[in-house]
Amino acid sequence: MDTGIPQTHENPIKEIDVRTDTRDVLANAQKYLKRRKLDDVFICDIDAHHMEIEAWKDIVKYISSPVVRDHAERFAQFTGAPPFGINGDLGLLYQDVGGRIPHQTSQREEVPAGPDHRHLTLMQRAREAMGIHYQVLFPTPMLLLGMHPQPEMEVMLSEAYNQWLIDTVLSKDERLKTMLFIPFNTPKECERFVEKFSGQPGVIGFMVTSIRNKPVHHDNYMRLYRMLEERGQVLGFHAGYYWNDDSMRQINRFGAMHALSFTWCNVVHMTNWVWNGLGERFPKLHPMWIESGVAWVPWLMQRLDHQYMMRSSEAPLLKRPPGDYMREMYYTCQPLETDYPKAMEITFEMIKAETQLLYASDWPHWDFDTPSVIWDLPFLTEQGKRNILGLNAARAFNLEVPEKYRTRK
Amino acid sequence: MVDIYVGKSHEFEDRSRKLIVHGDNEIGVFFVNGAFVAFENHCVHQGGPICQGQIRKRVIEPLAADKTSLGLAYDEKTLHLVCPWHGYEFAMDTGRHPGKSSARLKNYQVNVRGEDVFVVV
């Protein structure tokens, strides 16, 4: 009998740690969805991650070179061996703030034994908790491969990872997708990757890891861009941080460095892209800027437009100010800088967010965003919220929207 | 206002807690430095489960007389509750963020009658 008196009980999970089930960690996100009755909102998460190096022993089996593969497999036999061939600052992983954010530290929760890889289960649990239909998966330490001293290792390791991902993860779950890693330091290999992997299960686009010192306007990339444009494929630039960059080495604390480095890489690539008229050369190829948040975009629009108006002779391919091209690109929202609501509203207006912005969680990383960051914005129309949370992604990637989301309640 | 029974006071060791679910509300009741405090299990940032986060000492950076840094140190007297979603920290006694006091957790009164601990909702 319902007495109308709320029932009281104790939640047995007093403290969340690295072994807590993802669904319990994200229980408040699930409650939010139910409270707001968002079960008819189509949500796509355009940037989620897994810790691919946990599967590195399996991934290196896909390395094409028999010598490098042999070395990698021998290396992996040593207990505690780091992932063979991975560069980067694996000892500078301060993201979890000294262990304060457990899901960033590690995901050691129980997963029932079965034929599928445990990462599939982890992603499914996160999707369920946040009401996400499609989720785009990216690796984590591999985001630094663009700084690898051996360009051929970027090619070999990313090709091995891509095939492992398709075989082990993407082909087992039609709601998991990826924008596949391309080894941007070797343009010809990027072209081969596009030929080889287009149309494979779960591949909905291609991704450049933005931490690298390669000018995106170099003539060597024009064939690649043409290929992507002709195939209607999105080209993502996934940001990262690189503390060993000379400018970043001046900064002494992780959060401050992270705030700059995660935007700076995309600031440079965006500037080269726009100023060199790639928007005119490839008008149907719309880049997508991933994991830099959005606050950097109005700043850069203003800087570039201001300079362009005085120095248009240096950018003769442009027929409009740089900001016009930037408004035609796609952006993912995370980490959404919500601390200045008026600035956020203007930012959304400047980037035409209602058609160009795509929700991204970045789960399970420490600065992840739940769908509430979009749904709670007071200045958006409901249609705008629905667009950003999923319908813009459906349009950009030609994703099927299931029937249950097409009929509004 | 209703008193919700939480438990017996002797069940609480220093820096321990109970998570009480009351209808749609979830409230963390903590016993810290000899006093009870209670907060809604909802971080003011993105609604994360703040009351299921770690209790950590506040980090400070003492300065020498000439304003040079003496490095990072712990404030042994001040405890923070840390949101496990994103790391937002709040003082255990006030529920306020150390750098933005307007960012404050919703708190609840805790009543102790004899051995029985109640939170008032």
Side-chain angles (χ1 to χ4, degrees), chain A residues 46 138 179-182 184 204-210 228 233-239 266 269 273 285-290 330 332 397:
Chain A
I46 301 304
F138 292 117
M179 301 169 73
L180 214 59
F181 192 119
I182 51 175
F184 201 66
I204 61 170
F206 292 88
M207 180 273 291
V208 176
T209 57
S210 299
L228 293 169
Q233 295 280 355
V234 173
L235 178 62
F237 286 89
H238 192 297
N266 274 346
H269 296 321
W273 187 280
L285 175 60
H286 301 300
M288 182 176 291
W289 306 94
I290 301 169
Y330 291 117
T332 62
F397 294 106

PDB file of all heavy atoms in Angstrom, chain A residues 46 138 179-182 184 204-210 228 233-239 266 269 273 285-290 330 332 397:
ATOM      1  N   ILE A  46      29.852  11.859 -29.075  1.00  0.00           N
ATOM      2  CA  ILE A  46      30.829  11.870 -30.172  1.00  0.00           C
ATOM      3  C   ILE A  46      32.265  11.736 -29.665  1.00  0.00           C
ATOM      4  O   ILE A  46      33.207  11.729 -30.449  1.00  0.00           O
ATOM      5  CB  ILE A  46      30.634  13.145 -31.041  1.00  0.00           C
ATOM      6  CG1 ILE A  46      29.212  13.156 -31.600  1.00  0.00           C
ATOM      7  CG2 ILE A  46      31.600  13.221 -32.205  1.00  0.00           C
ATOM      8  CD1 ILE A  46      28.848  11.910 -32.405  1.00  0.00           C
ATOM      9  N   PHE A 138      37.286   6.487 -28.846  1.00  0.00           N
ATOM     10  CA  PHE A 138      38.663   6.827 -29.207  1.00  0.00           C
ATOM     11  C   PHE A 138      39.620   6.194 -28.199  1.00  0.00           C
ATOM     12  O   PHE A 138      39.241   5.929 -27.051  1.00  0.00           O
ATOM     13  CB  PHE A 138      38.868   8.348 -29.183  1.00  0.00           C
ATOM     14  CG  PHE A 138      38.129   9.087 -30.264  1.00  0.00           C
ATOM     15  CD1 PHE A 138      37.134  10.003 -29.947  1.00  0.00           C
ATOM     16  CD2 PHE A 138      38.440   8.885 -31.605  1.00  0.00           C
ATOM     17  CE1 PHE A 138      36.462  10.702 -30.941  1.00  0.00           C
ATOM     18  CE2 PHE A 138      37.768   9.577 -32.603  1.00  0.00           C
ATOM     19  CZ  PHE A 138      36.779  10.487 -32.269  1.00  0.00           C
ATOM     20  N   MET A 179      35.712   7.369 -35.231  1.00  0.00           N
ATOM     21  CA  MET A 179      36.369   8.085 -36.319  1.00  0.00           C
ATOM     22  C   MET A 179      37.794   7.545 -36.268  1.00  0.00           C
ATOM     23  O   MET A 179      38.519   7.798 -35.305  1.00  0.00           O
ATOM     24  CB  MET A 179      36.315   9.589 -36.086  1.00  0.00           C
ATOM     25  CG  MET A 179      34.884  10.093 -35.979  1.00  0.00           C
ATOM     26  SD  MET A 179      34.811  11.812 -35.398  1.00  0.00           S
ATOM     27  CE  MET A 179      35.379  12.645 -36.880  1.00  0.00           C
ATOM     28  N   LEU A 180      38.160   6.803 -37.276  1.00  0.00           N
ATOM     29  CA  LEU A 180      39.350   5.969 -37.189  1.00  0.00           C
ATOM     30  C   LEU A 180      40.644   6.780 -37.248  1.00  0.00           C
ATOM     31  O   LEU A 180      40.774   7.728 -38.014  1.00  0.00           O
ATOM     32  CB  LEU A 180      39.317   4.958 -38.333  1.00  0.00           C
ATOM     33  CG  LEU A 180      39.915   3.601 -38.038  1.00  0.00           C
ATOM     34  CD1 LEU A 180      39.230   2.904 -36.889  1.00  0.00           C
ATOM     35  CD2 LEU A 180      39.856   2.730 -39.275  1.00  0.00           C
ATOM     36  N   PHE A 181      41.581   6.365 -36.430  1.00  0.00           N
ATOM     37  CA  PHE A 181      42.900   6.995 -36.335  1.00  0.00           C
ATOM     38  C   PHE A 181      43.599   6.929 -37.699  1.00  0.00           C
ATOM     39  O   PHE A 181      43.735   5.851 -38.277  1.00  0.00           O
ATOM     40  CB  PHE A 181      43.715   6.235 -35.289  1.00  0.00           C
ATOM     41  CG  PHE A 181      44.990   6.891 -34.854  1.00  0.00           C
ATOM     42  CD1 PHE A 181      45.177   7.249 -33.524  1.00  0.00           C
ATOM     43  CD2 PHE A 181      46.024   7.127 -35.744  1.00  0.00           C
ATOM     44  CE1 PHE A 181      46.367   7.840 -33.102  1.00  0.00           C
ATOM     45  CE2 PHE A 181      47.211   7.721 -35.333  1.00  0.00           C
ATOM     46  CZ  PHE A 181      47.382   8.076 -34.018  1.00  0.00           C
ATOM     47  N   ILE A 182      44.061   8.076 -38.194  1.00  0.00           N
ATOM     48  CA  ILE A 182      44.934   8.056 -39.376  1.00  0.00           C
ATOM     49  C   ILE A 182      46.301   8.640 -38.989  1.00  0.00           C
ATOM     50  O   ILE A 182      46.384   9.597 -38.222  1.00  0.00           O
ATOM     51  CB  ILE A 182      44.326   8.806 -40.589  1.00  0.00           C
ATOM     52  CG1 ILE A 182      43.856  10.214 -40.224  1.00  0.00           C
ATOM     53  CG2 ILE A 182      43.213   7.996 -41.215  1.00  0.00           C
ATOM     54  CD1 ILE A 182      43.377  11.018 -41.423  1.00  0.00           C
ATOM     55  N   PHE A 184      48.801  10.809 -39.395  1.00  0.00           N
ATOM     56  CA  PHE A 184      48.860  12.063 -40.152  1.00  0.00           C
ATOM     57  C   PHE A 184      50.289  12.499 -40.485  1.00  0.00           C
ATOM     58  O   PHE A 184      50.481  13.320 -41.372  1.00  0.00           O
ATOM     59  CB  PHE A 184      48.152  13.150 -39.339  1.00  0.00           C
ATOM     60  CG  PHE A 184      47.679  14.329 -40.144  1.00  0.00           C
ATOM     61  CD1 PHE A 184      46.686  14.193 -41.098  1.00  0.00           C
ATOM     62  CD2 PHE A 184      48.220  15.593 -39.940  1.00  0.00           C
ATOM     63  CE1 PHE A 184      46.236  15.283 -41.823  1.00  0.00           C
ATOM     64  CE2 PHE A 184      47.773  16.700 -40.653  1.00  0.00           C
ATOM     65  CZ  PHE A 184      46.781  16.538 -41.598  1.00  0.00           C
ATOM     66  N   ILE A 204      32.822   5.675 -38.978  1.00  0.00           N
ATOM     67  CA  ILE A 204      31.945   6.735 -39.478  1.00  0.00           C
ATOM     68  C   ILE A 204      32.727   7.992 -39.848  1.00  0.00           C
ATOM     69  O   ILE A 204      32.138   9.025 -40.167  1.00  0.00           O
ATOM     70  CB  ILE A 204      30.832   7.086 -38.468  1.00  0.00           C
ATOM     71  CG1 ILE A 204      31.427   7.583 -37.153  1.00  0.00           C
ATOM     72  CG2 ILE A 204      29.911   5.904 -38.247  1.00  0.00           C
ATOM     73  CD1 ILE A 204      30.390   8.180 -36.208  1.00  0.00           C
ATOM     74  N   GLY A 205      34.037   7.921 -39.813  1.00  0.00           N
ATOM     75  CA  GLY A 205      34.852   9.081 -40.157  1.00  0.00           C
ATOM     76  C   GLY A 205      36.294   8.773 -39.823  1.00  0.00           C
ATOM     77  O   GLY A 205      36.628   7.628 -39.450  1.00  0.00           O
ATOM     78  N   PHE A 206      37.139   9.779 -39.955  1.00  0.00           N
ATOM     79  CA  PHE A 206      38.569   9.585 -39.677  1.00  0.00           C
ATOM     80  C   PHE A 206      39.049  10.693 -38.749  1.00  0.00           C
ATOM     81  O   PHE A 206      38.468  11.781 -38.707  1.00  0.00           O
ATOM     82  CB  PHE A 206      39.359   9.529 -40.977  1.00  0.00           C
ATOM     83  CG  PHE A 206      39.046   8.287 -41.764  1.00  0.00           C
ATOM     84  CD1 PHE A 206      37.981   8.261 -42.670  1.00  0.00           C
ATOM     85  CD2 PHE A 206      39.763   7.121 -41.552  1.00  0.00           C
ATOM     86  CE1 PHE A 206      37.657   7.093 -43.349  1.00  0.00           C
ATOM     87  CE2 PHE A 206      39.446   5.946 -42.231  1.00  0.00           C
ATOM     88  CZ  PHE A 206      38.394   5.943 -43.133  1.00  0.00           C
ATOM     89  N   MET A 207      40.120  10.392 -37.997  1.00  0.00           N
ATOM     90  CA  MET A 207      40.525  11.282 -36.924  1.00  0.00           C
ATOM     91  C   MET A 207      42.038  11.518 -36.941  1.00  0.00           C
ATOM     92  O   MET A 207      42.820  10.567 -37.038  1.00  0.00           O
ATOM     93  CB  MET A 207      40.092  10.673 -35.587  1.00  0.00           C
ATOM     94  CG  MET A 207      40.423  11.469 -34.348  1.00  0.00           C
ATOM     95  SD  MET A 207      42.074  11.130 -33.674  1.00  0.00           S
ATOM     96  CE  MET A 207      41.887   9.456 -33.063  1.00  0.00           C
ATOM     97  N   VAL A 208      42.388  12.782 -36.842  1.00  0.00           N
ATOM     98  CA  VAL A 208      43.776  13.186 -36.675  1.00  0.00           C
ATOM     99  C   VAL A 208      43.970  13.518 -35.201  1.00  0.00           C
ATOM    100  O   VAL A 208      43.182  14.286 -34.630  1.00  0.00           O
ATOM    101  CB  VAL A 208      44.084  14.441 -37.514  1.00  0.00           C
ATOM    102  CG1 VAL A 208      45.511  14.933 -37.258  1.00  0.00           C
ATOM    103  CG2 VAL A 208      43.855  14.173 -38.994  1.00  0.00           C
ATOM    104  N   THR A 209      44.994  12.948 -34.587  1.00  0.00           N
ATOM    105  CA  THR A 209      45.313  13.384 -33.226  1.00  0.00           C
ATOM    106  C   THR A 209      46.060  14.715 -33.349  1.00  0.00           C
ATOM    107  O   THR A 209      47.073  14.816 -34.044  1.00  0.00           O
ATOM    108  CB  THR A 209      46.163  12.334 -32.492  1.00  0.00           C
ATOM    109  OG1 THR A 209      47.349  12.077 -33.241  1.00  0.00           O
ATOM    110  CG2 THR A 209      45.396  11.047 -32.304  1.00  0.00           C
ATOM    111  N   SER A 210      45.540  15.731 -32.682  1.00  0.00           N
ATOM    112  CA  SER A 210      45.995  17.102 -32.936  1.00  0.00           C
ATOM    113  C   SER A 210      47.366  17.413 -32.372  1.00  0.00           C
ATOM    114  O   SER A 210      47.986  18.397 -32.773  1.00  0.00           O
ATOM    115  CB  SER A 210      44.971  18.092 -32.370  1.00  0.00           C
ATOM    116  OG  SER A 210      43.728  17.915 -33.010  1.00  0.00           O
ATOM    117  N   LEU A 228      38.507  12.289 -48.726  1.00  0.00           N
ATOM    118  CA  LEU A 228      37.504  12.367 -47.660  1.00  0.00           C
ATOM    119  C   LEU A 228      36.274  13.136 -48.118  1.00  0.00           C
ATOM    120  O   LEU A 228      35.133  12.761 -47.818  1.00  0.00           O
ATOM    121  CB  LEU A 228      38.115  13.024 -46.411  1.00  0.00           C
ATOM    122  CG  LEU A 228      39.215  12.217 -45.714  1.00  0.00           C
ATOM    123  CD1 LEU A 228      39.922  13.066 -44.661  1.00  0.00           C
ATOM    124  CD2 LEU A 228      38.635  10.958 -45.067  1.00  0.00           C
ATOM    125  N   GLN A 233      33.150  11.824 -45.854  1.00  0.00           N
ATOM    126  CA  GLN A 233      33.616  11.443 -44.518  1.00  0.00           C
ATOM    127  C   GLN A 233      34.002  12.676 -43.702  1.00  0.00           C
ATOM    128  O   GLN A 233      34.609  13.610 -44.241  1.00  0.00           O
ATOM    129  CB  GLN A 233      34.841  10.532 -44.629  1.00  0.00           C
ATOM    130  CG  GLN A 233      34.572   9.186 -45.275  1.00  0.00           C
ATOM    131  CD  GLN A 233      33.943   8.189 -44.310  1.00  0.00           C
ATOM    132  OE1 GLN A 233      33.790   8.462 -43.126  1.00  0.00           O
ATOM    133  NE2 GLN A 233      33.556   7.032 -44.821  1.00  0.00           N
ATOM    134  N   VAL A 234      33.653  12.644 -42.442  1.00  0.00           N
ATOM    135  CA  VAL A 234      34.040  13.723 -41.536  1.00  0.00           C
ATOM    136  C   VAL A 234      35.507  13.533 -41.144  1.00  0.00           C
ATOM    137  O   VAL A 234      35.969  12.402 -40.943  1.00  0.00           O
ATOM    138  CB  VAL A 234      33.148  13.702 -40.278  1.00  0.00           C
ATOM    139  CG1 VAL A 234      33.646  14.707 -39.236  1.00  0.00           C
ATOM    140  CG2 VAL A 234      31.698  13.987 -40.652  1.00  0.00           C
ATOM    141  N   LEU A 235      36.237  14.641 -41.033  1.00  0.00           N
ATOM    142  CA  LEU A 235      37.623  14.597 -40.561  1.00  0.00           C
ATOM    143  C   LEU A 235      37.681  15.275 -39.188  1.00  0.00           C
ATOM    144  O   LEU A 235      37.494  16.492 -39.080  1.00  0.00           O
ATOM    145  CB  LEU A 235      38.557  15.317 -41.537  1.00  0.00           C
ATOM    146  CG  LEU A 235      40.026  15.371 -41.106  1.00  0.00           C
ATOM    147  CD1 LEU A 235      40.621  13.967 -40.983  1.00  0.00           C
ATOM    148  CD2 LEU A 235      40.852  16.212 -42.081  1.00  0.00           C
ATOM    149  N   GLY A 236      37.932  14.474 -38.170  1.00  0.00           N
ATOM    150  CA  GLY A 236      38.005  15.018 -36.815  1.00  0.00           C
ATOM    151  C   GLY A 236      39.431  15.352 -36.424  1.00  0.00           C
ATOM    152  O   GLY A 236      40.366  14.653 -36.818  1.00  0.00           O
ATOM    153  N   PHE A 237      39.569  16.422 -35.670  1.00  0.00           N
ATOM    154  CA  PHE A 237      40.856  16.757 -35.051  1.00  0.00           C
ATOM    155  C   PHE A 237      40.670  16.601 -33.550  1.00  0.00           C
ATOM    156  O   PHE A 237      40.007  17.441 -32.918  1.00  0.00           O
ATOM    157  CB  PHE A 237      41.285  18.182 -35.409  1.00  0.00           C
ATOM    158  CG  PHE A 237      41.775  18.313 -36.820  1.00  0.00           C
ATOM    159  CD1 PHE A 237      40.889  18.600 -37.854  1.00  0.00           C
ATOM    160  CD2 PHE A 237      43.115  18.125 -37.128  1.00  0.00           C
ATOM    161  CE1 PHE A 237      41.337  18.698 -39.165  1.00  0.00           C
ATOM    162  CE2 PHE A 237      43.571  18.229 -38.437  1.00  0.00           C
ATOM    163  CZ  PHE A 237      42.678  18.516 -39.459  1.00  0.00           C
ATOM    164  N   HIS A 238      41.223  15.522 -33.008  1.00  0.00           N
ATOM    165  CA  HIS A 238      41.034  15.260 -31.580  1.00  0.00           C
ATOM    166  C   HIS A 238      42.185  15.883 -30.797  1.00  0.00           C
ATOM    167  O   HIS A 238      43.345  15.495 -30.938  1.00  0.00           O
ATOM    168  CB  HIS A 238      40.965  13.763 -31.308  1.00  0.00           C
ATOM    169  CG  HIS A 238      40.481  13.450 -29.928  1.00  0.00           C
ATOM    170  ND1 HIS A 238      41.169  13.838 -28.794  1.00  0.00           N
ATOM    171  CD2 HIS A 238      39.359  12.824 -29.490  1.00  0.00           C
ATOM    172  CE1 HIS A 238      40.507  13.448 -27.732  1.00  0.00           C
ATOM    173  NE2 HIS A 238      39.396  12.835 -28.114  1.00  0.00           N
ATOM    174  N   ALA A 239      41.850  16.834 -29.934  1.00  0.00           N
ATOM    175  CA  ALA A 239      42.858  17.548 -29.155  1.00  0.00           C
ATOM    176  C   ALA A 239      43.512  16.643 -28.108  1.00  0.00           C
ATOM    177  O   ALA A 239      43.023  15.545 -27.813  1.00  0.00           O
ATOM    178  CB  ALA A 239      42.217  18.743 -28.454  1.00  0.00           C
ATOM    179  N   ASN A 266      44.541  22.690 -31.357  1.00  0.00           N
ATOM    180  CA  ASN A 266      43.489  22.920 -32.353  1.00  0.00           C
ATOM    181  C   ASN A 266      43.445  24.373 -32.818  1.00  0.00           C
ATOM    182  O   ASN A 266      43.029  24.654 -33.948  1.00  0.00           O
ATOM    183  CB  ASN A 266      42.125  22.470 -31.803  1.00  0.00           C
ATOM    184  CG  ASN A 266      41.904  20.978 -32.047  1.00  0.00           C
ATOM    185  OD1 ASN A 266      42.614  20.352 -32.832  1.00  0.00           O
ATOM    186  ND2 ASN A 266      40.917  20.404 -31.373  1.00  0.00           N
ATOM    187  N   HIS A 269      45.941  24.309 -35.714  1.00  0.00           N
ATOM    188  CA  HIS A 269      45.445  23.609 -36.913  1.00  0.00           C
ATOM    189  C   HIS A 269      44.283  24.375 -37.558  1.00  0.00           C
ATOM    190  O   HIS A 269      44.201  24.468 -38.787  1.00  0.00           O
ATOM    191  CB  HIS A 269      45.011  22.188 -36.550  1.00  0.00           C
ATOM    192  CG  HIS A 269      46.144  21.326 -36.063  1.00  0.00           C
ATOM    193  ND1 HIS A 269      47.407  21.367 -36.607  1.00  0.00           N
ATOM    194  CD2 HIS A 269      46.198  20.403 -35.073  1.00  0.00           C
ATOM    195  CE1 HIS A 269      48.196  20.505 -35.986  1.00  0.00           C
ATOM    196  NE2 HIS A 269      47.489  19.915 -35.043  1.00  0.00           N
ATOM    197  N   TRP A 273      44.173  25.873 -41.275  1.00  0.00           N
ATOM    198  CA  TRP A 273      43.091  25.376 -42.141  1.00  0.00           C
ATOM    199  C   TRP A 273      42.351  26.552 -42.787  1.00  0.00           C
ATOM    200  O   TRP A 273      42.142  26.591 -44.005  1.00  0.00           O
ATOM    201  CB  TRP A 273      42.115  24.525 -41.316  1.00  0.00           C
ATOM    202  CG  TRP A 273      41.073  23.831 -42.161  1.00  0.00           C
ATOM    203  CD1 TRP A 273      39.925  24.365 -42.667  1.00  0.00           C
ATOM    204  CD2 TRP A 273      41.115  22.475 -42.620  1.00  0.00           C
ATOM    205  NE1 TRP A 273      39.236  23.441 -43.398  1.00  0.00           N
ATOM    206  CE2 TRP A 273      39.946  22.265 -43.381  1.00  0.00           C
ATOM    207  CE3 TRP A 273      42.014  21.413 -42.451  1.00  0.00           C
ATOM    208  CZ2 TRP A 273      39.656  21.027 -43.990  1.00  0.00           C
ATOM    209  CZ3 TRP A 273      41.715  20.188 -43.046  1.00  0.00           C
ATOM    210  CH2 TRP A 273      40.556  20.015 -43.802  1.00  0.00           C
ATOM    211  N   LEU A 285      34.024  19.418 -47.328  1.00  0.00           N
ATOM    212  CA  LEU A 285      34.697  18.712 -46.234  1.00  0.00           C
ATOM    213  C   LEU A 285      34.681  19.612 -45.003  1.00  0.00           C
ATOM    214  O   LEU A 285      35.307  20.667 -44.993  1.00  0.00           O
ATOM    215  CB  LEU A 285      36.154  18.385 -46.621  1.00  0.00           C
ATOM    216  CG  LEU A 285      37.021  17.759 -45.524  1.00  0.00           C
ATOM    217  CD1 LEU A 285      36.448  16.434 -45.041  1.00  0.00           C
ATOM    218  CD2 LEU A 285      38.455  17.542 -46.043  1.00  0.00           C
ATOM    219  N   HIS A 286      33.909  19.197 -44.012  1.00  0.00           N
ATOM    220  CA  HIS A 286      33.774  20.024 -42.817  1.00  0.00           C
ATOM    221  C   HIS A 286      34.548  19.382 -41.668  1.00  0.00           C
ATOM    222  O   HIS A 286      34.147  18.332 -41.163  1.00  0.00           O
ATOM    223  CB  HIS A 286      32.304  20.172 -42.430  1.00  0.00           C
ATOM    224  CG  HIS A 286      31.492  20.795 -43.511  1.00  0.00           C
ATOM    225  ND1 HIS A 286      31.744  22.052 -44.008  1.00  0.00           N
ATOM    226  CD2 HIS A 286      30.448  20.320 -44.219  1.00  0.00           C
ATOM    227  CE1 HIS A 286      30.888  22.338 -44.953  1.00  0.00           C
ATOM    228  NE2 HIS A 286      30.092  21.299 -45.114  1.00  0.00           N
ATOM    229  N   PRO A 287      35.636  19.989 -41.236  1.00  0.00           N
ATOM    230  CA  PRO A 287      36.364  19.427 -40.096  1.00  0.00           C
ATOM    231  C   PRO A 287      35.525  19.477 -38.821  1.00  0.00           C
ATOM    232  O   PRO A 287      34.612  20.309 -38.703  1.00  0.00           O
ATOM    233  CB  PRO A 287      37.582  20.335 -39.950  1.00  0.00           C
ATOM    234  CG  PRO A 287      37.543  21.290 -41.048  1.00  0.00           C
ATOM    235  CD  PRO A 287      36.208  21.238 -41.699  1.00  0.00           C
ATOM    236  N   MET A 288      35.861  18.578 -37.910  1.00  0.00           N
ATOM    237  CA  MET A 288      35.198  18.565 -36.599  1.00  0.00           C
ATOM    238  C   MET A 288      36.283  18.711 -35.538  1.00  0.00           C
ATOM    239  O   MET A 288      37.251  17.964 -35.529  1.00  0.00           O
ATOM    240  CB  MET A 288      34.443  17.254 -36.418  1.00  0.00           C
ATOM    241  CG  MET A 288      33.670  17.167 -35.109  1.00  0.00           C
ATOM    242  SD  MET A 288      32.702  15.645 -35.020  1.00  0.00           S
ATOM    243  CE  MET A 288      31.451  15.936 -36.255  1.00  0.00           C
ATOM    244  N   TRP A 289      36.107  19.669 -34.649  1.00  0.00           N
ATOM    245  CA  TRP A 289      37.105  19.978 -33.623  1.00  0.00           C
ATOM    246  C   TRP A 289      36.647  19.358 -32.323  1.00  0.00           C
ATOM    247  O   TRP A 289      35.591  19.714 -31.791  1.00  0.00           O
ATOM    248  CB  TRP A 289      37.305  21.495 -33.531  1.00  0.00           C
ATOM    249  CG  TRP A 289      37.646  22.028 -34.887  1.00  0.00           C
ATOM    250  CD1 TRP A 289      36.780  22.537 -35.811  1.00  0.00           C
ATOM    251  CD2 TRP A 289      38.932  22.028 -35.516  1.00  0.00           C
ATOM    252  NE1 TRP A 289      37.453  22.864 -36.969  1.00  0.00           N
ATOM    253  CE2 TRP A 289      38.781  22.570 -36.818  1.00  0.00           C
ATOM    254  CE3 TRP A 289      40.211  21.633 -35.118  1.00  0.00           C
ATOM    255  CZ2 TRP A 289      39.849  22.713 -37.711  1.00  0.00           C
ATOM    256  CZ3 TRP A 289      41.275  21.777 -35.998  1.00  0.00           C
ATOM    257  CH2 TRP A 289      41.084  22.311 -37.273  1.00  0.00           C
ATOM    258  N   ILE A 290      37.451  18.423 -31.835  1.00  0.00           N
ATOM    259  CA  ILE A 290      37.017  17.525 -30.752  1.00  0.00           C
ATOM    260  C   ILE A 290      37.829  17.759 -29.487  1.00  0.00           C
ATOM    261  O   ILE A 290      39.057  17.774 -29.513  1.00  0.00           O
ATOM    262  CB  ILE A 290      37.169  16.050 -31.213  1.00  0.00           C
ATOM    263  CG1 ILE A 290      36.323  15.808 -32.473  1.00  0.00           C
ATOM    264  CG2 ILE A 290      36.787  15.081 -30.097  1.00  0.00           C
ATOM    265  CD1 ILE A 290      36.612  14.473 -33.154  1.00  0.00           C
ATOM    266  N   TYR A 330      32.178  21.751 -37.615  1.00  0.00           N
ATOM    267  CA  TYR A 330      31.541  21.094 -36.482  1.00  0.00           C
ATOM    268  C   TYR A 330      32.448  21.169 -35.250  1.00  0.00           C
ATOM    269  O   TYR A 330      33.671  21.126 -35.371  1.00  0.00           O
ATOM    270  CB  TYR A 330      31.279  19.620 -36.784  1.00  0.00           C
ATOM    271  CG  TYR A 330      30.214  19.390 -37.831  1.00  0.00           C
ATOM    272  CD1 TYR A 330      30.526  18.765 -39.038  1.00  0.00           C
ATOM    273  CD2 TYR A 330      28.898  19.769 -37.607  1.00  0.00           C
ATOM    274  CE1 TYR A 330      29.553  18.533 -39.997  1.00  0.00           C
ATOM    275  CE2 TYR A 330      27.916  19.541 -38.563  1.00  0.00           C
ATOM    276  CZ  TYR A 330      28.255  18.925 -39.757  1.00  0.00           C
ATOM    277  OH  TYR A 330      27.293  18.703 -40.697  1.00  0.00           O
ATOM    278  N   THR A 332      32.675  19.587 -31.063  1.00  0.00           N
ATOM    279  CA  THR A 332      32.087  18.843 -29.951  1.00  0.00           C
ATOM    280  C   THR A 332      32.181  19.726 -28.700  1.00  0.00           C
ATOM    281  O   THR A 332      33.076  20.564 -28.592  1.00  0.00           O
ATOM    282  CB  THR A 332      32.780  17.488 -29.714  1.00  0.00           C
ATOM    283  OG1 THR A 332      34.148  17.705 -29.361  1.00  0.00           O
ATOM    284  CG2 THR A 332      32.701  16.626 -30.957  1.00  0.00           C
ATOM    285  N   PHE A 397      27.008  12.531 -39.574  1.00  0.00           N
ATOM    286  CA  PHE A 397      27.551  11.189 -39.828  1.00  0.00           C
ATOM    287  C   PHE A 397      26.568  10.279 -40.550  1.00  0.00           C
ATOM    288  O   PHE A 397      26.850   9.087 -40.715  1.00  0.00           O
ATOM    289  CB  PHE A 397      27.940  10.537 -38.498  1.00  0.00           C
ATOM    290  CG  PHE A 397      29.088  11.211 -37.789  1.00  0.00           C
ATOM    291  CD1 PHE A 397      28.867  11.980 -36.658  1.00  0.00           C
ATOM    292  CD2 PHE A 397      30.393  11.082 -38.259  1.00  0.00           C
ATOM    293  CE1 PHE A 397      29.922  12.592 -35.995  1.00  0.00           C
ATOM    294  CE2 PHE A 397      31.450  11.687 -37.604  1.00  0.00           C
ATOM    295  CZ  PHE A 397      31.218  12.449 -36.479  1.00  0.00           C
TER     296      PHE A 397
END
